[in-house]
């Protein structure tokens, strides 16, 4: 999250041609936003909303903070289990132990049956 | 508020890095459209983990899913607000508002800082030939532009900045009120949801039109994927630089960018 200077950031992948200086691709963020805005406003004539160019910029950073926080909490669960590999269960534990992450409960649960590996 | 993603078979290695095919949306939601690129996600995870930590694939993919859910969650709330207020465009300010609404208050300040730097940076790098100093136009240009153009407008960046699309004019009015450009400050402290301050750079909106449209984005970032997988010890993403061709508009990258916040 800390990027000392542009060049080191570049080597760490912080600046790539794809995302520019953002850690996550804005176009992708926007797509996801569009989808959820479209969904929640579809039927009643709200229509798909437009998204200001700055909104994905905010999200690119927000997602970084979010991933970092979720990862830290998952790691705490990993340590508790005296392991050093973060597993999905640790992420699930992090979600369950954090009110803020209530909205993720379905994600970490529902995924169970179509587990990837 | 649920994302309602089709329980899509995530099995197909959620490697969102298949080059820059982000343009035309296929009817079925493609994996790489619905999730953040796994390499980027892993990179961010690595930063907060000790060096000896390992991450299983299912953990990576779960976090990847969670990120999309997070975006949807916040966007849903922001969208409802826009709907209530009969606005068509979800702004950065709506997103920040939604975050503080949904418990992510802690993010608001760093995000405001980040946005501020982005604006400054964009103002500097794109503002060349567009206006005089970054701070110069700070006055009251925006008052004339309450009729706003839609954000996809992509007005040419060479327009005088005061003519830019004012998709964000909502914010601007707020700022005008709070920072008193030409407008006297409000008698009352602002209501809670306006409590986070965005820095007072009114003048810098116009250049963002660049970013307004999907196509603008695609043109700008799409198709020029560079393998930014730097120090990740080869985690996931064999991504490999596909479209090495396009040199990004250097204006963006030559600059010392102000991002890594704090």
């Amino acid at each position: 999250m800390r990027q000392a200077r542009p060049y080191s950031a570049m080597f760490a992948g912080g600046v790539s041609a794809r995302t520019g200086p953002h850690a996550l691709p804005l176009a992708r963020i926007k797509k996801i936003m569009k989808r959820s805005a479209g969904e929640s406003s579809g039927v009643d004539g709200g229509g798909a909303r437009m998204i200001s160019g700055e909104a994905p910029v905010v999200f690119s950073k927000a997602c970084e903070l979010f991933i970092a926080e979720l990862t830290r909490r998952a790691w705490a669960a990993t340590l508790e289990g005296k392991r050093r590999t973060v597993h999905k269960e640790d992420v699930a534990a992090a979600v369950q132990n954090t009110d803020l992450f209530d909205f993720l409960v379905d994600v970490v649960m529902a995924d169970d049956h179509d587990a990837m590996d | 508020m649920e994302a309602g993603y089709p329980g899509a078979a995530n099995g197909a290695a959620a490697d969102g890095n298949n080059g820059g095919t982000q343009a035309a949306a296929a009817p079925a939601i493609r994996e790489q459209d619905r999730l953040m690129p796994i390499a980027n996600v892993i990179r961010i995870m690595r930063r907060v983990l000790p060096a000896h930590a390992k991450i299983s694939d299912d953990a990576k993919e779960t976090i990847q899913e969670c990120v999309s859910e997070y975006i949807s969650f916040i966007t849903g709330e922001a969208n409802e607000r826009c709907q209530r207020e009969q606005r068509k465009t979800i702004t950065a300010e709506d997103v920040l508002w939604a975050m503080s609404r949904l418990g992510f208050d802690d993010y608001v300040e760093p995000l405001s800082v980040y946005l501020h730097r982005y604006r400054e940076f964009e103002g500097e790098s794109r503002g060349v030939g567009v206006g005089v100093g970054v701070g110069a136009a700070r006055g009251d240009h925006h008052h004339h532009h309450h009729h706003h153009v839609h954000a996809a407008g992509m007005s040419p960046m060479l327009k005088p900045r005061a003519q830019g699309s004012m998709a964000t004019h909502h914010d601007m009015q707020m700022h005008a009120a709070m920072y008193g450009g030409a407008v006297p400050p409000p008698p009352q402290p602002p209501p809670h949801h306006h409590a986070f301050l965005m820095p007072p750079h009114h003048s810098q909106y116009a250049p963002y039109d660049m970013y307004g449209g999907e196509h603008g984005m695609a043109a700008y970032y799409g198709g020029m994927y560079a393998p930014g997988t730097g120090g990740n010890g080869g985690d996931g993403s064999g991504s490999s630089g596909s479209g090495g061709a396009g040199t990004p508009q250097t204006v963006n990258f030559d600059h010392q960018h102000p991002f890594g916040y704090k």
Side-chain angles (χ1 to χ4, degrees):
Chain A
M1 198 161 321
R2 270 151 224 253
Q3 301 176 343
R5 47 187 67 121
Y7 294 112
S8 62
M10 195 173 305
F11 291 122
V15 176
S16 77
R18 187 187 204 189
T19 60
H22 308 287
L24 293 164
L26 301 182
R28 187 79 53 91
I29 292 171
K30 191 164 192 171
K31 231 166 228 160
I32 296 169
M33 289 183 73
K34 274 227 155 92
R35 194 165 302 130
S36 26
E39 264 163 22
S40 50
S41 58
V43 190
D44 55 324
R49 234 153 264 275
M50 284 179 291
I51 293 168
S52 114
E54 289 183 344
V57 172
V58 169
F59 263 124
S60 72
K61 190 69 194 176
C63 290
E64 268 188 76
L65 299 176
F66 170 78
I67 293 168
E69 181 168 5
L70 188 52
T71 303
R72 253 184 242 113
R73 290 175 187 270
W75 177 244
T78 308
L79 288 181
E80 221 159 89
K82 304 198 191 313
R83 286 172 282 110
R84 29 196 315 186
T85 303
V86 182
H87 285 284
K88 181 180 175 182
E89 294 68 36
D90 299 319
V91 180
V95 167
Q96 276 154 349
N97 295 333
T98 313
D99 289 347
L100 192 60
F101 293 151
D102 274 350
F103 69 98
L104 294 172
V105 167
D106 288 346
V107 177
V108 296
M109 293 307 165
D111 266 358
D112 273 341
H113 49 79
D114 60 24
M116 298 103 196
D117 337 24
Chain B
M1 218 130 306
E2 56 275 1
Y5 291 126
N10 195 17
D15 148 28
N17 292 304
N18 317 330
T21 49
Q22 299 179 7
I29 295 169
R30 293 172 307 175
E31 202 57 34
Q32 71 262 30
D33 283 349
R34 173 180 96 67
L35 297 173
M36 287 299 131
I38 190 91
N40 302 48
V41 172
I42 293 167
R43 186 180 307 129
I44 297 167
M45 293 177 72
R46 285 259 173 249
R47 277 186 220 152
V48 299
L49 292 174
H52 65 276
K54 294 183 175 156
I55 314 171
S56 72
D57 287 347
D58 62 355
K60 294 170 187 168
E61 285 159 13
T62 302
I63 295 218
Q64 202 184 14
E65 295 277 349
C66 288
V67 175
S68 293
E69 186 67 25
Y70 173 67
I71 296 173
S72 294
F73 181 55
I74 302 290
T75 303
E77 186 76 11
N79 189 47
E80 277 172 29
R81 182 197 197 201
C82 290
Q83 218 162 347
R84 272 197 307 276
E85 300 180 3
Q86 307 198 323
R87 286 183 289 113
K88 282 217 152 83
T89 303
I90 301 177
T91 65
E93 196 265 345
D94 291 321
V95 171
L96 292 173
W97 175 85
M99 287 190 197
S100 73
R101 266 287 289 235
L102 296 173
F104 292 89
D105 335 27
D106 291 351
Y107 293 13
V108 170
E109 194 201 325
L111 293 177
S112 300
V113 171
Y114 187 75
L115 181 61
H116 176 48
R117 292 188 185 178
Y118 169 80
R119 286 173 176 173
E120 279 193 333
F121 176 67
E122 291 295 300
E124 281 166 21
S125 62
R126 299 189 193 294
V128 186
V130 177
V132 206
V134 174
R138 192 178 294 179
D140 49 6
H141 283 312
H142 56 281
H143 293 300
H144 307 299
H145 293 280
H146 292 168
H147 63 286
H148 64 79
V149 194
H150 61 90
M154 292 284 294
S155 70
M157 55 192 285
L158 291 182
K159 278 187 182 179
R161 62 177 60 200
Q163 292 208 329
S165 99
M166 288 294 134
T168 39
H169 72 290
H170 178 78
D171 296 12
M172 300 184 61
Q173 287 168 319
M174 172 181 109
H175 292 157
M178 302 188 92
Y179 293 97
V183 182
Q188 300 264 337
H192 168 67
H193 63 271
H194 279 171
F196 36 78
L197 307 188
M198 288 197 251
H201 282 256
H202 307 160
S203 59
Q204 296 180 36
Y205 286 82
Y208 309 151
D209 292 350
M210 275 293 299
Y211 288 91
E214 191 80 35
H215 300 301
M217 293 306 307
Y220 204 72
Y221 289 111
M224 50 192 194
Y225 176 70
T229 54
N232 281 329
D235 267 311
S237 90
S239 51
S240 88
S242 39
T247 310
Q249 299 180 21
T250 46
V251 61
N252 212 4
F253 307 111
D254 283 345
H255 247 266
Q256 296 234 336
H257 70 82
F259 287 91
Y261 100 87
K262 286 193 195 150

